[in-house]
Amino acid sequence: MPEMLHPKQLCGALLLMIISHTGRAQADSASLVPYIRAAADSMTAAFSRQDFKAFVNYSNPRLVEMLGGRESFINFMESQVGALKGMRFNIVRAGRILRVIPGSQPMQCIVEQWLELDYQGSPVAGVSHLIGISDDGKSWTFADGNSDAGNNIKLLIPGISPLLVIPKKKQVFGVKLDSLLKDYRTVY
């Protein structure tokens, strides 16, 4: 008959399993960060250049489909940005990576998006949040988690993890981005 483990031994074994699993999840998350950073930086750089042919490569595929496919998406982005009369984008940049969920399918993350623009001669600064997905951990696509599409995020990411909590967007008129980021705290 097998020998039974003492409750203290059992607790110790369980704790060891939890710690090793947590360490593996952190290592998995850390290995994804360079790929997330590269894709988010490429996406925001493409937007800054108004290169929507490159931008679409980093946009959530379901969103692209919902807007009629690749060419329709590009035309939509060009018309939306073109309609922003009196507005000039000064800074569009990926910020901190707030959350990475490596074990989900698809893998998911939240990345801050930092923005500074001039609107009719006044600065406007903001922090919004991109929701990233990847099937392989190397190629990432994003959707704005704080937009109307973000409110219907389950349409864009049917298997969205309940662990992926989207922070609130912050937008301040009359302030430059560096001033906003000095005191900025993520609020959920």
Side-chain angles (χ1 to χ4, degrees):
M1 179 177 231
E3 189 175 319
M4 297 293 289
L5 287 177
H6 187 275
K8 285 184 182 178
Q9 291 173 317
L10 184 59
C11 286
L14 287 172
L15 184 60
L16 184 61
M17 287 181 0
I18 291 169
I19 289 170
S20 67
H21 178 70
T22 302
R24 192 169 39 256
Q26 288 172 347
D28 291 346
S29 294
S31 69
L32 297 175
V33 166
Y35 298 105
I36 296 167
R37 169 66 51 211
D41 287 346
S42 294
M43 179 183 173
T44 55
F47 185 89
S48 292
R49 295 187 313 269
Q50 296 184 13
D51 179 359
F52 299 115
K53 289 179 181 171
F55 181 80
V56 70
N57 296 325
Y58 302 99
S59 298
N60 180 284
R62 285 190 184 244
L63 180 60
V64 173
E65 280 177 37
M66 291 166 85
L67 290 172
R70 186 177 175 81
E71 290 305 314
S72 293
F73 180 87
I74 292 166
N75 292 336
F76 173 79
M77 291 301 299
E78 288 171 345
S79 69
Q80 291 298 301
V81 171
L84 300 174
K85 304 288 184 221
M87 195 177 293
R88 189 182 77 229
F89 291 93
N90 298 328
I91 299 170
V92 180
R93 197 166 66 218
R96 298 178 301 155
I97 299 171
L98 300 180
R99 183 85 163 124
V100 179
I101 303 176
S104 61
Q105 198 53 7
M107 292 174 244
Q108 301 164 27
C109 69
I110 296 179
V111 180
E112 289 178 336
Q113 179 174 247
W114 299 343
L115 174 72
E116 180 184 294
L117 56 91
D118 284 327
Y119 179 67
Q120 297 179 346
S122 295
V124 180
V127 178
S128 62
H129 302 89
L130 300 170
I131 299 171
I133 61 169
S134 175
D135 290 326
D136 64 5
K138 294 181 180 181
S139 300
W140 288 82
T141 60
F142 301 92
D144 185 347
N146 298 117
S147 69
D148 289 338
N151 292 332
N152 297 310
I153 200 65
K154 288 184 180 182
L155 293 173
L156 297 178
I157 308 170
I160 191 165
S161 170
L163 300 174
L164 206 67
V165 180
I166 303 166
K168 293 183 180 173
K169 176 180 181 175
K170 179 155 187 155
Q171 191 169 329
V172 182
F173 293 87
V175 172
K176 295 217 174 250
L177 182 61
D178 58 347
S179 296
L180 172 67
L181 293 176
K182 270 190 231 174
D183 300 319
Y184 177 73
R185 300 288 178 263
T186 305
V187 177
Y188 291 89

